[in-house]
């Protein structure tokens, strides 16, 4: 079992719809929760994580703040085409602490995951860490 | 450096000059539309404002909304999750000033409890002879509603940027406050 969504294991954020240069999207995959990416206004917002390999995904964990409605899509080809919806979830609002949500993906295969934040509990939301537990599949 | 995006609802009665204000702002004061074209739904106008003393900017998505009641249903469908509000009336029309309370209430119904900085703009100050709404009563009402008050003459290209600069600063301040809250959590 590995965390496929770490920059140290070759993951990349290949798209993000907001950018504050002090809080870049790479902060989502640096393995830390004290660094974050922040949306800079309006919804929806999204980001796409590309893995270094095809991954058989068992569990996705996202740590965030003020996210209200999230959709996750996956893509299993080497390029970012043909995304399909995996799930959609309403988050509970938290005060004074981060939201932490787990999703079991049951071994679905993906090269990319797309996270679409459809709405927030505030004008601005932050994503601190995404963890993707799974195993490497050898062939893309 | 950060580029914020803000959804700005631009509302008020028909013919007060919302679209003219918006087009003048978009064109940096070079384009005054002399002929009236009624807006029949929502026209989205995109325009960035640079903030002073920083490299930050706010990109407005201005939802220039029809003022006629018959378009209200379709207009309000597009008002979800607004960031800021710009209310406009015509200083020669008492009725358009009175309507602002109604427009404000409609816009606030879409905020889902979030802050929405707002400005009130009294337009057509060049028509001083026909003026019926005085500065003081407009300012007083605006303050009572938590709005900042400005007067413009779109025709004379006067003051058209200030309301949007004010909204940009207010939205940027909210961003900085929220950022501090998040940094304290992490």
């Amino acid at each position: 079992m590995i965390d496929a969504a770490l920059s140290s294991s070759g993951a990349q954020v290949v798209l993000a719809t907001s950018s504050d240069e002090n809080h870049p999207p790479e902060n989502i995959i640096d393995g830390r929760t004290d660094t974050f990416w922040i949306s800079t206004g309006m919804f929806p917002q999204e980001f796409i994580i590309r893995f270094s390999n095809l991954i058989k995904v068992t569990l996705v964990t996202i740590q965030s703040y003020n996210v209200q409605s999230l959709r996750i899509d996956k893509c299993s080809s080497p390029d970012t085409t043909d995304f399909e919806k995996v799930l959609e979830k309403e988050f509970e609002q938290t005060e004074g602490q981060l939201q932490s949500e787990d999703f079991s993906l049951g071994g679905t295969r993906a090269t990319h995951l797309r996270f679409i934040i459809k709405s927030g509990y505030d004008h601005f939301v932050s994503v601190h860490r995404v963890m993707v537990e799974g195993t490497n599949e050898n062939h893309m | 450096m950060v580029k914020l995006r803000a959804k700005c609802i631009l509302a008020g009665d028909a013919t007060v000059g919302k679209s003219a204000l918006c087009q003048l702002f978009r064109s940096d004061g070079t384009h005054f539309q002399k002929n009236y074209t009624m807006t029949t739904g929502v026209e989205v106008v995109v325009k960035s404002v640079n903030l002073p003393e920083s490299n930050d900017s706010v990109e407005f998505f201005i939802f220039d909304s029809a003022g006629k009641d018959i378009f209200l249903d379709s207009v309000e469908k597009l008002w979800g999750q607004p960031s800021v509000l710009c209310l406009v009336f015509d200083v020669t029309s008492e009725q358009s000033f009175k309507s602002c309370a109604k427009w404000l209430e409609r816009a606030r119904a879409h905020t889902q409890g979030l802050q929405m900085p707002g400005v009130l703009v009294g337009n057509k100050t060049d028509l001083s002879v026909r003026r019926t709404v005085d500065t003081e009563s407009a300012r007083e009402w605006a303050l009572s509603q938590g709005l900042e008050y400005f007067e413009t003459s779109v025709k004379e290209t006067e003051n058209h940027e200030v309301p949007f600069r004010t909204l940009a600063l207010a939205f940027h301040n909210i961003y900085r406050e929220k950022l501090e809250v998040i940094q304290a959590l992490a």
Side-chain angles (χ1 to χ4, degrees):
Chain A
M1 217 44 109
I2 56 157
D3 179 357
L6 278 175
S7 42
S8 58
S9 60
Q12 293 171 279
V13 179
V14 291
L15 178 144
T17 49
S18 278
S19 84
D20 179 332
E21 64 183 9
N22 293 319
H23 304 282
E26 289 70 30
N27 286 352
I28 296 169
I29 55 169
D30 65 358
R32 298 164 56 169
T33 54
D34 60 337
T35 60
F36 55 87
W37 168 76
I38 183 167
S39 74
T40 57
M42 296 179 56
F43 293 99
Q45 294 279 341
E46 68 176 69
F47 58 91
I48 297 175
I49 300 177
R50 172 185 289 162
F51 309 124
S52 59
N53 266 306
L54 183 66
I55 303 291
K56 195 173 166 186
V57 183
T58 50
L59 188 73
V60 174
T61 304
I62 176 165
Q63 287 173 290
S64 56
Y65 193 60
N66 276 329
V67 171
Q68 183 171 12
S69 174
L70 177 83
R71 186 175 115 184
I72 301 178
D73 292 352
K74 65 142 188 174
C75 159
S76 49
S77 62
D79 49 6
T80 43
T81 51
D82 302 324
F83 276 92
E84 54 183 288
K85 181 175 161 180
V86 179
L87 59 90
E88 199 163 322
K89 177 89 193 281
E90 291 284 316
F91 285 25
E92 296 282 329
Q93 189 173 16
T94 56
E95 289 248 347
Q97 60 179 41
L98 298 182
Q99 299 163 312
S100 183
E101 297 275 346
D102 295 330
F103 307 100
S104 290
L105 263 61
T108 187
R109 285 170 174 76
T111 54
H112 301 77
L113 288 179
R114 173 162 71 187
F115 298 78
I116 304 171
I117 301 162
K118 296 171 73 179
S119 60
Y121 289 108
D122 210 330
H123 291 295
F124 310 105
V125 304
S126 56
V127 177
H128 296 246
R129 191 172 177 190
V130 169
M131 282 174 281
V132 176
E133 274 183 40
T135 49
N136 272 319
E137 298 268 282
N138 291 327
H139 43 86
M140 288 280 277
Chain B
M1 191 187 84
V2 62
K3 180 173 171 180
L4 301 180
R5 288 195 198 100
K7 175 170 176 173
C8 175
I9 294 180
L10 178 59
D13 278 359
T15 73
V16 299
K18 297 180 293 301
S19 301
L21 172 66
C22 194
Q23 294 305 331
L24 191 67
F25 173 58
R26 168 161 75 179
S27 65
D28 295 315
T30 61
H31 180 69
F32 172 63
Q33 51 181 76
K34 291 193 183 68
N35 297 316
Y36 177 66
T37 314
M38 184 168 60
T39 305
T40 55
V42 168
E43 192 184 347
V44 181
V45 171
V46 182
K47 172 75 178 172
S48 285
V49 172
N50 294 320
L51 295 166
E53 292 164 30
S54 70
N55 290 318
D56 297 351
S57 59
V58 175
E59 183 177 41
F60 282 112
F61 289 70
I62 303 169
F63 282 52
D64 179 14
S65 305
K68 286 262 190 217
D69 277 352
I70 46 164
F71 303 115
L72 200 58
D73 281 352
S74 55
V75 160
E76 282 208 55
K77 282 200 180 86
L78 300 168
W79 278 11
Q81 300 184 302
S83 313
V84 297
L85 171 69
C86 180
L87 276 182
V88 185
F89 72 95
D90 170 355
V91 297
T92 71
S93 159
E94 183 77 32
Q95 183 53 50
S96 74
F97 174 55
K98 283 185 182 151
S99 293
C100 286
K102 183 180 67 183
W103 286 110
L104 180 60
E105 190 183 331
R106 286 171 183 157
R108 284 192 171 151
H110 295 273
T111 60
Q112 296 172 323
L114 297 187
Q115 282 171 272
M116 178 179 62
V119 292
L120 176 69
V121 177
N123 186 34
K124 307 195 189 180
T125 54
D126 51 287
L127 301 174
S128 51
V129 183
R130 283 163 49 194
R131 183 161 184 153
T132 55
V133 183
D134 64 273
T135 304
E136 263 328 292
S137 38
R139 173 169 292 131
E140 200 174 300
W141 181 77
L143 284 178
S144 75
Q145 299 300 319
L147 307 171
E148 278 202 61
Y149 181 61
F150 298 96
E151 293 194 342
T152 58
S153 165
V154 172
K155 181 167 171 283
E156 304 295 333
T157 326
E158 276 172 19
N159 237 7
H160 62 280
E161 274 194 323
V162 191
F164 294 103
R165 290 197 178 284
T166 302
L167 290 172
L169 277 172
F171 195 60
H172 189 249
N173 282 337
I174 294 178
Y175 179 71
R176 292 206 298 210
E177 279 169 28
K178 302 301 174 184
L179 197 52
E180 270 180 36
V181 170
I182 293 168
Q183 272 165 330
L185 285 178

